[in-house]
Amino acid sequence: MRELIEKYRWADQDEDLVLTLAVTTCGSVDEVVSAYGGSGRGPVLLTHDDAWVPQEDFGSYFHVQVLTEGSRTVMIEPNGWAGSLPGIARRASSRGFFLSVHWSMSGTRRVVEARGGAVVSWFNPFLIAEPGGAGDLVPAWAEDTVFDDEWPNASSFAAVELRTGLAVDRSWFTTPLPTYRIPDPDQLLADDSKARTP
C-alpha cells in the first residue's frame, strides 16, 4: 500500500480535486449513467475543473464523467457525492461489482463497496480504529490496509487500485471526458428509506 500511496501523492497537491470516483463492472455506460439517475443521451466533453456545477445551481443537479477501461467503467463526480451513497452503490452494482471513494471540501471521507446489489463495505477509512463508528461496515481488507492521513487522497486512490486492479490516471482530471447531467441524489432516492444506510 505504501508504494501505491507514493504513486498517487499528486492527488493531495490540487485543492480543487474534490470528488467521488467509482469503478464498476456492471453494464454499459448507459446503464451506469441510468443508475446515477441520468440519461445516456447527449453528453458534453468537459474537464474535471469545468464540470463543477456553478455555485448558484449547486444542489439542483450534478455532473458525472464516465470512461471505460476494459471491462470496467469509471465514474468521476467533480465536487459530487452520488456514488458515495449506499442507494447508488446498490443500483450500480446490480449485475457486478462497485467501489467508490469520496472526499468533500468539508473533509468528509467515505469508501463504499457493493456486489450484486448489496453493500458489503461502507466506512470512513481514517476512522477505522476510532470508537463511535456505529453503522459502518468495515471489511477485513480495510483493517489490514494502512490509510495515511498525511496523504488522504493518495490513500483513497491507492485503495481503488488495490481493490480493482485499475490504476487511477492523472490525465483523467485534465482531459475532457464525456460528462452527463444527473439529479441531486437525495431527490433521485427520495423514496428509498435506506438510501444513506448500508
Side-chain angles (χ1 to χ4, degrees):
M1 181 74 168
R2 173 55 53 192
E3 289 182 5
L4 287 179
I5 292 173
E6 290 291 329
K7 172 181 176 179
Y8 291 118
R9 284 177 64 168
W10 55 264
D12 287 283
Q13 297 167 351
D14 181 355
E15 62 184 22
D16 291 329
L17 194 62
V18 178
L19 53 77
T20 302
L21 183 142
V23 178
T24 187
T25 59
C26 184
S28 67
V29 168
D30 285 354
E31 289 173 302
V32 170
V33 172
S34 178
Y36 277 68
S39 165
R41 296 187 301 273
V44 295
L45 292 175
L46 296 174
T47 65
H48 178 272
D49 288 352
D50 291 338
W52 279 55
V53 173
Q55 185 63 39
E56 61 270 20
D57 294 323
F58 188 79
S60 59
Y61 69 91
F62 293 97
H63 287 133
V64 63
Q65 300 181 289
V66 183
L67 60 115
T68 56
E69 292 286 339
S71 62
R72 294 160 294 195
T73 303
V74 178
M75 294 79 64
I76 302 169
E77 299 172 72
N79 199 27
W81 64 83
S84 72
L85 299 182
I88 295 294
R90 285 188 282 269
R91 291 166 60 112
S93 69
S94 62
R95 294 191 295 111
F97 169 84
F98 175 93
L99 175 84
S100 73
V101 294
H102 163 77
W103 64 84
S104 71
M105 294 181 73
S106 65
T108 302
R109 299 272 170 180
R110 186 63 51 184
V111 176
V112 182
E113 189 174 2
R115 294 177 183 276
V119 175
V120 296
S121 301
W122 185 78
F123 62 98
N124 182 327
F126 300 98
L127 296 179
I128 291 173
E130 300 294 326
D136 280 8
L137 293 175
V138 181
W141 69 262
E143 293 176 349
D144 297 334
T145 301
V146 178
F147 289 88
D148 187 337
D149 57 9
E150 290 187 16
W151 301 99
N153 300 351
S155 294
S156 295
F157 284 168
V160 169
E161 184 168 346
L162 183 71
R163 294 300 294 161
T164 69
L166 180 67
V168 177
D169 191 327
R170 190 173 187 173
S171 71
W172 295 346
F173 306 100
T174 56
T175 303
L177 298 175
T179 303
Y180 301 83
R181 183 168 168 157
I182 59 173
D184 180 318
D186 288 329
Q187 294 175 8
L188 174 67
L189 302 172
D191 295 330
D192 182 354
S193 63
K194 296 184 177 180
R196 287 185 170 267
T197 59

